[in-house]
Amino acid sequence: MSKFAKAAYASEAQAGFTHRTAMEEAARCLLCHDAPCSTGCPAGTDPGRFIRSIRFRNAKGAAETIRENNILGGSCARICPYDRLCEEACSRTGIDRPIEIGKLQRYAIEQESIFKLKTLKAPEIKKAARVACVGAGPASLACAATLAAAGYGVTIFEAQEKAGGMLAYGVPPARLPREVLERDIDAVRELGVEFVFNTKVGRDIGVDALKARGFAAVFIGAGLWNAKLPDLEGAHLDGVWTAIDFLKNAANTGGHTGLAGKSAVVIGGGDVAMDCAATAKLTGAAQVAIYYRRTLEEAPANTDELQYAFSLGIPIMTNFVPAKLVGADGKLAAVEFIGRDGKSSASVAADVAVFATGQAPEDMAQFANLCLTAKGTIAADCGGNTNIDGVFAAGDAVNGGKTVVEAVAEGKLAAAEIIEWLEMTQGDNKGRVRPAGEVR
Ligand SMILES: Cc1cc2nc3c(=O)[nH]c(=O)nc-3n(C[C@H](O)[C@H](O)[C@H](O)COP(=O)(O)OP(=O)(O)OC[C@H]3O[C@@H](n4cnc5c(N)ncnc54)[C@H](O)[C@@H]3O)c2cc1C
Ligand code: SF4
């Protein structure tokens, strides 16, 4: 039977473990002393420890380990690329196959939800300093949760009307059910973090104004929200979308994309392209095809994502580059491609074309006089320090677009750096300068 259980826009595609299968899987774990799986997780979610808890039927302990280390443990359990992180590092691989760590993490967080287990609580002693986080995506949520757990007051300013960043507006609910994301966000809220929505920092309020309002430090986790269409003839036609706008429209309309019976072409070979194609199919498109400029082996999409697209009957045509978008009465009618060999060509009838060919940062200069890289991302070190004292940044806006777990890891690192900065500038260690090369 296919590992993908359902095919509907808002229904989760993959089934999780039952209690019995979770116990069976946990029993396969070798309980390694050095737990390479734990070092394989960028966010330090510590599978070695939480699997041990599951094995000894301590679901609360397992959920606590996950939440303490990765506040987005529920979402990561659904969409992390385990196969190239913790599961790739798993010692059991040498015997037969790796432990299904992602599904065990999902099981533990499901137990937390089913039995309403209290895993984290806000600290009783509060610190005086307050921190503003820009954006409510994974980087900011992880940074905010770490700061709040350490007793700092944190307010997140988010441009959209809900939290989650790309998890709320990009990743389709078939892969990440919205109630799972909501539960993760609630865990951040329960630590005392406040949210201000529909407020775009740089437009509605400046970084300097945040500081003037009493926020001692500002963290920027603004992601990559500038999606551009390629410079192709016909790119202005009705029916031509960027991936982000297409997925955001599906998210905002609850899957009512108006695609019923229509034909859609998705251009790209990454996870985002697979998500767009699956969304088109699950929201009613009669025909969906993906066109990618290289070979399938070169496609950056995850194996699971590719398999999911195939399971929905979506073909992937390789070695084709879009050349022109052809329209009739202002609407898209066809996409013309040329082959990588320079000789072949294809003209594909389409009502909708979605370009999943990458996202870029918005104009980050909106925040303050931040130093930017040549790609327009924020220049920051691995602790999130920018060129401006008291302004930190991490996540996609700095790394140029990676994964949720990496955004979480970077948000946590930036929080640790902010705490140290606050202690040196406002707290007990005020005036202390960290010696060059000092390791925290
Ligand atoms: C379609 C899609 C599918 C993906 N699938 C996966 C996957 O399966 N697995 C995986 O690990 N990763 C996946 N990713 C990548 C992952 O979503 C990102 O790496 C992660 O969300 C980055 O987190 P972030 O907090 O840096 O940025 P974001 O998630 O982009 O969040 C940034 C937030 O900041 C807000 N913001 C921006 N500017 C401002 C401003 N000026 N003021 C206030 N708020 C602002 C935005 O509205 C947004 O809410 C996917 C990405 C996309 C687009
Ligand atoms: S590496 Fe694999 S077998 Fe070892 S503790 Fe981690 S999950 Fe268990």
Side-chain angles (χ1 to χ4, degrees):
M1 198 183 89
S2 163
K3 64 205 269 195
F4 303 107
K6 287 190 191 140
Y9 177 69
S11 304
E12 181 155 27
Q14 258 185 296
F17 279 140
T18 61
H19 178 68
R20 185 176 60 82
T21 52
M23 289 306 154
E24 282 170 4
E25 189 62 7
R28 289 180 58 239
C29 174
L30 303 171
L31 303 179
C32 309
H33 180 61
D34 56 345
C37 54
S38 293
T39 40
C41 174
T45 310
D46 207 351
R49 202 160 142 224
F50 76 70
I51 294 174
R52 183 182 289 266
S53 296
I54 293 175
R55 194 158 152 161
F56 292 105
R57 290 177 159 64
N58 178 4
K60 183 163 189 264
E64 265 165 10
T65 299
I66 296 165
R67 285 277 179 226
E68 276 163 14
N69 294 308
N70 181 353
I71 198 74
L72 297 187
S75 299
C76 280
R78 301 307 210 278
I79 65 166
C80 243
Y82 291 99
D83 51 339
R84 54 188 172 88
L85 296 171
C86 53
E87 288 183 5
E88 188 179 48
C90 176
S91 317
R92 183 90 211 194
T93 313
I95 301 173
D96 45 14
R97 60 192 161 82
I99 303 297
E100 289 195 65
I101 297 171
K103 279 175 84 174
L104 284 174
Q105 182 168 324
R106 171 175 166 173
Y107 167 80
I109 293 294
E110 279 171 354
Q111 298 299 299
E112 179 200 47
S113 192
I114 293 166
F115 296 104
K116 302 201 175 2
L117 304 174
K118 277 264 161 233
T119 44
L120 296 180
K121 66 174 187 205
E124 277 160 23
I125 301 168
K126 300 275 183 217
K127 305 250 170 50
R130 290 189 301 137
V131 179
C133 291
V134 180
S140 272
L141 291 168
C143 179
T146 309
L147 289 166
Y152 292 95
V154 187
T155 304
I156 296 182
F157 294 85
E158 167 57 50
Q160 306 289 336
E161 61 183 21
K162 53 187 178 215
M166 283 302 177
L167 305 190
Y169 291 99
V171 180
R175 286 208 298 123
L176 174 59
R178 291 305 180 253
E179 57 277 15
V180 173
L181 175 60
E182 280 306 317
R183 178 66 207 106
D184 284 353
I185 294 164
D186 281 347
V188 179
R189 228 178 242 119
E190 283 159 19
L191 285 169
V193 174
E194 290 175 2
F195 289 81
V196 177
F197 293 109
N198 299 311
T199 303
K200 188 162 185 176
V201 177
R203 183 192 64 193
D204 304 326
I205 183 166
V207 168
D208 288 345
L210 288 174
K211 289 197 168 176
R213 272 209 212 172
F215 291 104
V218 177
F219 171 82
I220 300 175
L224 304 172
W225 282 66
N226 184 14
K228 273 205 194 125
L229 285 169
D231 198 9
L232 279 183
E233 188 181 330
H236 63 281
L237 289 165
D238 195 15
V240 181
W241 295 80
T242 64
I244 291 310
D245 287 341
F246 178 76
L247 293 168
K248 207 171 143 192
N249 176 54
N252 284 337
T253 58
H256 297 287
T257 51
L259 276 177
K262 294 191 174 168
S263 170
V265 163
V266 176
I267 296 118
D271 291 341
V272 178
M274 303 305 134
D275 278 344
C276 290
T279 299
K281 188 82 182 182
L282 298 176
T283 60
Q287 270 137 24
V288 183
I290 297 170
Y291 282 76
Y292 177 50
R293 67 194 165 119
R294 297 209 173 98
T295 61
L296 205 52
E297 291 71 31
E298 290 168 285
N302 254 319
T303 319
D304 263 7
E305 287 256 41
L306 284 166
Q307 280 181 5
Y308 184 44
F310 290 139
S311 78
L312 293 172
I314 299 169
I316 303 183
M317 322 302 275
T318 52
N319 294 313
F320 277 105
V321 182
K324 189 175 162 189
L325 299 148
V326 184
D329 302 328
K331 288 186 181 163
L332 180 72
V335 186
E336 290 184 0
F337 292 91
I338 48 167
R340 197 180 179 186
D341 58 6
K343 294 178 199 147
S344 42
S345 64
S347 179
V348 186
D351 304 295
V352 165
V354 185
F355 283 86
T357 44
Q359 289 102 243
E362 288 194 319
D363 182 9
M364 297 295 178
Q366 65 184 313
F367 296 122
N369 292 324
L370 281 177
C371 273
L372 305 180
T373 66
K375 289 181 176 164
T377 50
I378 299 171
D381 67 13
C382 58
N385 290 285
T386 68
N387 59 308
I388 302 175
D389 198 32
V391 178
F392 301 79
D396 279 7
V398 172
N399 66 35
K402 287 187 176 171
T403 59
V404 178
V405 74
E406 282 160 299
V408 167
E410 292 171 16
K412 281 172 62 178
L413 274 176
E417 197 76 14
I418 292 170
I419 290 170
E420 184 167 347
W421 182 85
L422 288 170
E423 282 174 0
M424 284 180 183
T425 56
Q426 336 257 314
D428 299 341
N429 285 330
K430 191 168 176 175
R432 178 179 176 266
V433 177
R434 195 197 311 165
E438 179 186 275
V439 179
R440 230 181 303 120

